[in-house]
Amino acid sequence: MSEKERISDISWKKWGPYVSNREWGLVREDYSENGDAWNYTNHDTAEAKTYRWGEEGIAGICDDLQKLVFSLGFWNKKDKMVKERFFGLTNGQGNHGEDVKEYFYYLDSTPTHSYMKMLYKYPQNYFPYKDLIKVNAERNKTEPEYELIDTGIFDQNEYFDIFIEYAKAAQNDLLVRLTIVNKSEQEASLVILPTIWFRNTWNWGYDDYKPKLSAEKKDQITIDHKDLETKNIYAKQSSKVLFCDNETNNERLYQSSNSSVYCKDGINQFVITGNSQSVNPENKGTKASFLIEENFKGKESKIFEFRISDQDLKEPFADFDEIFKSRHHEADEFYAEVQKGIPSEDEKLIQRQAFAGMLWNKMYYHYNVEKWLKGDPAELRPPKSREKIRNYDWKHLNNEHIISMPDKWEYPWYATWDLAFHTISFSLIDPDFAKHQLKLFLFEWYMHPNGQLPAYEWNLSDVNPPVHAWAVFRVFKIDEYLKDKPDLEFLESAFQKLLMNFTWWVNKKDLNGNNIFEGGFLGLDNIGVFDRNTSLPNGEHLEQADGTSWMAMFALNMMRIALELALYNNVYEEMAMKFFEHFLAIAHSLDNMGDENFSLWDEEDEFFYDAIASSDGTHMYLKLRTIVGLIPMFAVEVIDDEMIENLPNFKKRMKWVLDNKPELASLVSRWEDKGQDSKHLLSLLRGHRLKRLLKRMLNPEEFLSEYGVRALSKEYEKNIYTLNLNETDYCVKYTPAESDSGLFGGNSNWRGPIWFPINFLIVDSLQRFFFYYSPDFLVEYPTGSGNYSNLDQIADSLNKRLTKIFLKDETGKRPVNGQYERFQTDPDFKDYILFYEYFHGDNGRGVGASHQTGWTGLIAKILQPRFSKKEIAESETEMPEDADTKENKKRR
């Protein structure tokens, strides 16, 4: 069976890399009085603390309900603890927020996880835990982060390269191979601890069933769980088996009695201190490890093999090489088809590692807010303060699914708008998973009864940009192209639930009922002059150019989905008309606010700005040029005559509105003025405004970087923006990389760097505008150069700037790898790619979360060949125009 054939069989996804890289420090595991999640559980207590909602581990895998977990532990015989989880700094410890201080790379994975590979670089000397905490604490926000490589621990190559591979013989039969290389010239020792355990589901007072692990031999552990088919785990090399229980060591952490003699940290204690009393001599428990102690000669490489199976195997390793070879070949075969037309091997390497990062960042996510707030029957009742601690108005939320995470260390919890971007890249390799992810957040155990989508667990009520409808339609079209069949059930189901979400926005975020929308930081954290979630002291409120523009985009996305559904069911023509009119109302309000007919478009600067509305009805621009002013570009839709002619009711009603409400019709691009091939344009921008925005955006002295579009104009690097409001001075400076502001805390920074999701939407919008305008619609690019390009050429060029972040330059260096020469030139580092949260606005180096392949995984879509100029220009179709036309005729 090929990987392409396996994808449609959900049973092949029963097991996967669904284990977090960090469970400590999360909201779900926080039962404190004051909600101090970072300190309630931390890295140093993690080895002894049993978690309530999930598990963590290095290269961990588990079943889709995380009943059984496997991951790897290592000890270099020098560290204070077994390396069972990746170390990093909390939000308060890092001078730029939370930050993982390890080097690991996701190298490969198929969509069903039939083959996976990653690399972990484990130092042979004492891991500098204290040094990393101390030096970062001493640095301020204007200084760079102190990284693991800065400690010198890799200087003499005294580390192990640990390659971890998985291959599935069948749905519940998993092969594990470790290839460990001593990179040093000197001999080095390593303790290897392949570990298997049950997530603790028996301590909380709901179900006291307790599964068990046991062993009669040193190379085989028997698995007994009533809900799992898995029977055994085998080791090809093992000197001993060690057992304890997945139970908290209360004596160590809380100076109270233990419920188990052999606690969660028992194996760790045995390995580090030799304490034989900490492991069960009867070789049974709920957590177990194979113990392997090896000496490696200088530069020596060794292979270690394990198998987790639903079979009783007499010779579990007899077919090992054959299965691995077959699965690896199938993975190569699968990606060879996906990557047809990609010109260079370097681009293929980047895209494949981007897909790998996204696939490895799937995670079992479990959070029942009501149970979390109340506490469990078998545990002490939480303090009363927790009744209103956070997320108390989301008691309906009960999540337990495999979900795509932004980053399983820094962000091991979903973010709704991040996930919308994840699905675009996922749809290229597994469109069913992409569709399922989008539908999840529209289910009643995610979406609030009032229609709001959950933002993320730190504050489910925060407001993310409403990009879900955009993603739904884009994924629908990609899926239709790949399968040559539209999934109308998916589209219609998503549309019905998105109606509720649209209504929530209209009712909750349109403060004055005038179609001008707020929303706070809207995912852009500290991009504003001040915290946009903060209430202003004298009754003022913020009128947000981006909030209003996102809603205009949302309305057009909903209109386009309704038009698509109307081709099959004419009832949806009425819904399409509703969103057409709502878009016109939003467009009108953007230019006509209050009695003074104030517009968020500043005619003097020819740019969109946020504005402060005073209680007396007057407005004041916040004349700070940020990507907030570019977001109106995203509200654009192109519709062809053929579709309108096939929807007579929509056509009739639309004509009446345009004829009888000229104040609305005049605000959008000229509907009656058809573009190329009888296309109609709906947009917040007419040609003149689009060109004026692009003049700013394409100016290297403002937004345009060699590596994409910056979040803030570079003008503010020398000319700091200052606003005096209510006798307080607010200042904004262009910072191309790490934040120098604590405004929104941590490593949040939209004041200069390049962010992939915004750049992707910019390119997407330019391609749509090009689909309407002729190639003769030219814009100076770059601004001031005297050279002119059409919008399609500019979109292409922006994509090339984004890919340049990762590609080797003429000297063989990758801008993403930044200032560290070793990362640029060492063969053991330079071709392993990290997909960061955002990128330096001037030199392209990676900044922020180092494994946020989620939305930075959009690079995989950007690298994908374009089917045809018109297809990609339309961008909503994701198929060649001739195929689209043929399919539309077939429907009718």
Side-chain angles (χ1 to χ4, degrees):
M1 181 186 290
S2 70
E3 177 64 18
K4 192 172 182 180
E5 293 170 319
R6 272 194 293 265
I7 291 175
S8 59
D9 184 352
I10 192 68
S11 68
W12 274 90
K13 298 175 185 175
K14 171 75 174 177
W15 283 83
Y18 310 141
V19 184
S20 177
N21 288 332
R22 174 176 66 85
E23 187 71 9
W24 60 268
L26 302 184
V27 167
R28 280 162 287 156
E29 303 297 343
D30 172 28
Y31 286 84
S32 66
E33 293 185 43
N34 60 357
D36 185 7
W38 278 112
N39 292 307
Y40 186 76
T41 57
N42 59 57
H43 177 269
D44 284 358
T45 63
E47 70 182 22
K49 171 76 174 175
T50 298
Y51 295 121
R52 170 63 177 88
W53 299 99
E55 296 291 346
E56 64 193 4
I58 293 174
I61 60 168
C62 68
D63 62 280
D64 57 1
L65 290 174
Q66 202 173 86
K67 295 183 177 181
L68 182 65
V69 183
F70 172 85
S71 77
L72 295 153
F74 306 100
W75 187 48
N76 56 21
K77 296 193 174 181
K78 296 176 183 176
D79 277 350
K80 66 177 183 178
M81 64 180 71
V82 172
K83 181 68 71 171
E84 295 179 282
R85 61 195 54 79
F86 295 128
F87 172 73
L89 304 180
T90 68
N91 203 38
Q93 291 173 328
N95 62 322
H96 294 290
E98 66 269 40
D99 185 25
V100 66
K101 298 298 185 185
E102 307 264 13
Y103 296 120
F104 58 99
Y105 306 86
Y106 299 126
L107 303 180
D108 208 357
S109 180
T110 57
T112 64
H113 312 292
S114 59
Y115 177 75
M116 299 191 295
K117 184 178 183 179
M118 70 167 285
L119 166 64
Y120 172 47
K121 292 181 176 286
Y122 181 45
Q124 294 169 2
N125 291 314
Y126 184 87
F127 197 90
Y129 296 106
K130 291 182 179 179
D131 185 40
L132 288 164
I133 294 171
K134 178 178 180 292
V135 176
N136 277 286
E138 293 169 349
R139 294 190 175 187
N140 61 39
K141 287 190 174 294
T142 65
E143 295 175 288
E145 294 165 344
Y146 183 59
E147 303 291 4
L148 182 59
I149 197 168
D150 294 322
T151 68
I153 201 165
F154 292 100
D155 287 356
Q156 306 303 317
N157 284 335
E158 293 176 331
Y159 70 94
F160 294 103
D161 263 351
I162 303 175
F163 292 92
I164 302 145
E165 294 176 278
Y166 291 97
K168 292 182 182 178
Q171 291 93 322
N172 296 292
D173 192 355
L174 293 90
L175 283 57
V176 189
R177 173 185 283 161
L178 306 185
T179 303
I180 302 179
V181 185
N182 178 7
K183 303 306 295 184
S184 171
E185 299 282 355
Q186 306 301 315
E187 185 174 303
S189 296
L190 181 66
V191 176
I192 306 161
L193 292 160
T195 304
I196 195 157
W197 71 98
F198 297 112
R199 180 168 60 87
N200 190 317
T201 57
W202 54 87
N203 271 357
W204 319 116
Y206 305 103
D207 181 358
D208 61 1
Y209 168 73
K210 192 172 182 178
K212 66 178 180 179
L213 302 168
S214 60
E216 294 181 358
K217 299 185 289 186
K218 66 180 182 180
D219 58 359
Q220 179 181 348
I221 298 169
T222 301
I223 301 162
D224 185 2
H225 194 298
K226 64 182 178 65
D227 298 328
L228 294 175
E229 297 175 46
T230 310
K231 293 182 178 180
N232 300 288
I233 177 170
Y234 302 93
K236 193 172 184 180
Q237 308 98 322
S238 174
S239 61
K240 191 177 180 68
V241 284
L242 302 171
F243 284 80
C244 63
D245 289 309
N246 187 13
E247 305 275 0
T248 297
N249 189 335
N250 292 314
E251 289 182 3
R252 176 180 169 184
L253 299 182
Y254 311 117
Q255 295 76 53
S256 60
S257 60
N258 285 326
S259 59
S260 172
V261 177
Y262 311 105
C263 300
K264 178 182 176 181
D265 57 348
I267 295 171
N268 191 311
Q269 293 301 312
F270 175 85
V271 171
I272 299 295
T273 69
N275 179 11
S276 61
Q277 302 300 309
S278 66
V279 292
N280 192 333
E282 296 182 15
N283 285 351
K284 63 182 182 180
T286 52
K287 178 181 177 182
S289 297
F290 294 114
L291 176 64
I292 304 166
E293 297 187 63
E294 287 288 326
N295 289 320
F296 290 76
K297 297 175 183 176
K299 300 295 184 181
E300 186 178 14
S301 173
K302 293 185 180 183
I303 293 175
F304 305 87
E305 295 175 342
F306 314 92
R307 187 165 187 165
I308 307 165
S309 182
D310 58 354
Q311 306 294 317
D312 294 315
L313 302 170
K314 290 184 179 179
E315 297 183 45
F317 302 100
D319 54 357
F320 220 75
D321 290 343
E322 180 185 344
I323 294 171
F324 257 102
K325 184 177 180 180
S326 177
R327 295 295 176 262
H328 192 222
H329 172 75
E330 290 160 4
D332 287 343
E333 190 177 56
F334 176 80
Y335 282 112
E337 183 173 346
V338 170
Q339 296 184 325
K340 279 180 182 176
I342 294 181
S344 76
E345 292 304 311
D346 199 30
E347 288 174 296
K348 291 177 182 177
L349 177 146
I350 292 163
Q351 189 194 51
R352 190 154 170 180
Q353 289 190 33
F355 283 135
M358 299 194 71
L359 289 161
W360 273 91
N361 269 329
K362 291 181 185 179
M363 195 180 92
Y364 168 80
Y365 184 88
H366 187 21
Y367 188 24
N368 182 314
V369 172
E370 185 169 26
K371 287 183 178 180
W372 175 75
L373 287 169
K374 289 182 178 178
D376 298 309
E379 296 291 296
L380 292 174
R381 186 169 181 81
K384 191 168 179 61
S385 60
R386 290 182 54 76
E387 293 177 6
K388 297 284 184 179
I389 196 164
R390 59 158 57 96
N391 298 333
Y392 62 88
D393 49 352
W394 286 79
K395 292 185 178 70
H396 75 284
L397 189 133
N398 183 12
N399 302 164
E400 190 175 12
H401 288 94
I402 304 302
I403 304 178
S404 174
M405 297 295 133
D407 177 326
K408 287 199 301 190
W409 196 93
E410 294 204 25
Y411 303 106
W413 26 265
Y414 60 74
T416 306
W417 84 300
D418 294 54
L419 184 126
F421 294 104
H422 300 187
T423 62
I424 304 303
S425 296
F426 268 122
S427 65
L428 300 177
I429 55 173
D430 191 353
D432 287 341
F433 179 76
K435 290 184 293 183
H436 181 258
Q437 292 292 286
L438 288 166
K439 286 182 69 174
L440 269 185
F441 289 79
L442 302 174
F443 290 160
E444 58 270 22
W445 47 89
Y446 286 77
M447 178 188 278
H448 198 282
N450 65 18
Q452 184 179 8
L453 298 185
Y456 42 81
E457 70 179 35
W458 286 85
N459 185 356
L460 294 167
S461 292
D462 260 343
V463 183
N464 284 172
V467 292
H468 224 73
W470 168 83
V472 162
F473 192 68
R474 223 174 189 291
V475 167
F476 166 78
K477 280 297 186 179
I478 295 172
D479 180 59
E480 182 182 22
Y481 173 71
L482 293 174
K483 297 179 181 176
D484 198 28
K485 180 182 178 182
D487 187 347
L488 295 172
E489 183 180 350
F490 160 72
L491 189 64
E492 188 168 17
S493 171
F495 180 79
Q496 299 292 348
K497 290 296 187 69
L498 285 165
L499 284 173
M500 296 174 64
N501 183 235
F502 190 91
T503 303
W504 175 83
W505 272 90
V506 171
N507 290 338
K508 293 292 186 179
K509 294 301 174 182
D510 179 7
L511 186 65
N512 296 313
N514 59 3
N515 288 301
I516 296 296
F517 294 85
E518 298 81 43
F521 76 91
L522 276 173
L524 304 186
D525 297 3
N526 61 2
I527 197 166
V529 182
F530 42 78
D531 183 345
R532 300 198 296 170
N533 278 334
T534 300
S535 299
L536 296 172
N538 296 319
E540 306 102 330
H541 66 271
L542 199 62
E543 305 279 25
Q544 293 183 224
D546 56 336
T548 304
S549 302
W550 285 123
M551 279 303 289
M553 174 185 172
F554 194 179
L556 286 180
N557 297 151
M558 293 294 280
M559 181 198 75
R560 184 62 187 86
I561 293 173
L563 288 172
E564 188 76 10
L565 291 170
L567 294 173
Y568 303 90
N569 183 344
N570 59 14
V571 169
Y572 283 96
E573 288 185 71
E574 294 179 13
M575 295 305 301
M577 197 60 226
K578 175 261 186 293
F579 286 107
F580 174 76
E581 292 191 58
H582 208 125
F583 167 75
L584 293 180
I586 294 171
H588 179 260
S589 295
L590 198 64
D591 263 2
N592 297 274
M593 293 191 297
D595 296 336
E596 55 185 316
N597 290 327
F598 182 81
S599 170
L600 292 180
W601 172 263
D602 179 27
E603 291 289 354
E604 182 181 2
D605 286 3
E606 295 184 304
F607 200 78
F608 284 102
Y609 293 119
D610 284 346
I612 293 177
S614 299
S615 54
D616 62 4
T618 59
H619 293 80
M620 177 184 73
Y621 285 125
L622 297 178
K623 290 197 173 187
L624 176 68
R625 286 194 292 281
T626 75
I627 51 171
V628 164
L630 302 178
I631 288 173
M633 280 200 307
F634 302 164
V636 53
E637 196 60 71
V638 180
I639 305 174
D640 60 49
D641 252 359
E642 184 184 5
M643 175 172 279
I644 294 172
E645 292 301 323
N646 278 279
L647 300 172
N649 294 329
F650 176 77
K651 179 182 178 182
K652 180 180 178 182
R653 176 63 181 168
M654 180 186 66
K655 187 176 188 307
W656 185 93
V657 170
L658 294 176
D659 288 345
N660 291 276
K661 296 184 178 182
E663 75 282 2
L664 299 182
S666 65
L667 283 164
V668 298
S669 294
R670 294 165 293 179
W671 182 261
E672 296 299 331
D673 186 6
K674 299 177 185 177
Q676 295 186 86
D677 304 320
S678 298
K679 301 285 190 250
H680 298 275
L681 179 70
L682 272 173
S683 168
L684 290 179
L685 303 176
R686 285 157 286 182
H688 170 74
R689 286 190 179 182
L690 176 62
K691 286 189 173 183
R692 304 316 291 172
L693 272 189
L694 292 179
K695 182 177 181 180
R696 298 277 195 194
M697 189 185 86
L698 302 177
N699 185 349
E701 300 302 314
E702 292 212 47
F703 290 98
L704 185 65
S705 162
E706 283 296 309
Y707 304 97
V709 176
R710 303 177 176 107
L712 179 71
S713 173
K714 189 176 171 64
E715 176 183 332
Y716 304 115
E717 185 173 39
K718 295 179 180 177
N719 303 311
I720 298 175
Y721 176 87
T722 303
L723 169 73
N724 182 276
L725 181 66
N726 297 319
E727 300 182 355
T728 301
D729 283 332
Y730 298 90
C731 298
V732 177
K733 181 182 180 182
Y734 168 80
T735 54
E738 291 88 357
S739 174
D740 65 357
S741 166
L743 178 61
F744 214 84
N747 55 6
S748 162
N749 186 23
W750 290 81
R751 297 191 168 192
I754 293 154
W755 295 77
F756 261 69
I758 297 297
N759 274 262
F760 190 84
L761 288 173
I762 287 170
V763 169
D764 184 68
S765 300
L766 289 176
Q767 290 168 343
R768 292 185 188 219
F769 278 116
F770 174 74
F771 192 51
Y772 171 76
Y773 289 112
S774 72
D776 297 330
F777 186 93
L778 301 176
V779 175
E780 188 179 24
Y781 175 71
T783 302
S785 67
N787 299 317
Y788 286 80
S789 302
N790 66 44
L791 300 182
D792 185 55
Q793 292 167 332
I794 293 170
D796 269 349
S797 179
L798 291 178
N799 271 340
K800 287 184 173 68
R801 289 173 187 250
L802 293 169
T803 59
K804 196 161 73 170
I805 290 171
F806 300 102
L807 289 168
K808 293 178 183 175
D809 63 18
E810 60 280 1
T811 68
K813 296 182 177 180
R814 303 182 191 275
V816 64
N817 285 339
Q819 72 274 31
Y820 294 106
E821 186 65 19
R822 181 148 199 188
F823 292 165
Q824 298 286 12
T825 60
D826 188 332
D828 291 316
F829 283 90
K830 66 186 180 70
D831 291 332
Y832 301 130
I833 312 297
L834 292 177
F835 300 89
Y836 287 84
E837 187 178 1
Y838 50 95
F839 301 88
H840 193 291
D842 296 334
N843 62 36
R845 74 170 169 88
V847 191
S850 56
H851 290 76
Q852 195 155 346
T853 321
W855 63 19
T856 300
L858 288 165
I859 188 63
K861 179 68 176 76
I862 291 168
L863 286 167
Q864 196 69 4
R866 299 167 67 172
F867 298 115
S868 74
K869 284 287 183 181
K870 285 187 177 181
E871 175 272 321
I872 208 69
E874 188 173 23
S875 83
E876 66 183 20
T877 65
E878 287 300 331
M879 61 175 71
E881 189 185 38
D882 55 348
D884 188 29
T885 304
K886 181 179 177 182
E887 182 62 34
N888 284 343
K889 288 177 179 175
K890 194 191 302 180
R891 296 168 189 161
R892 299 166 194 138

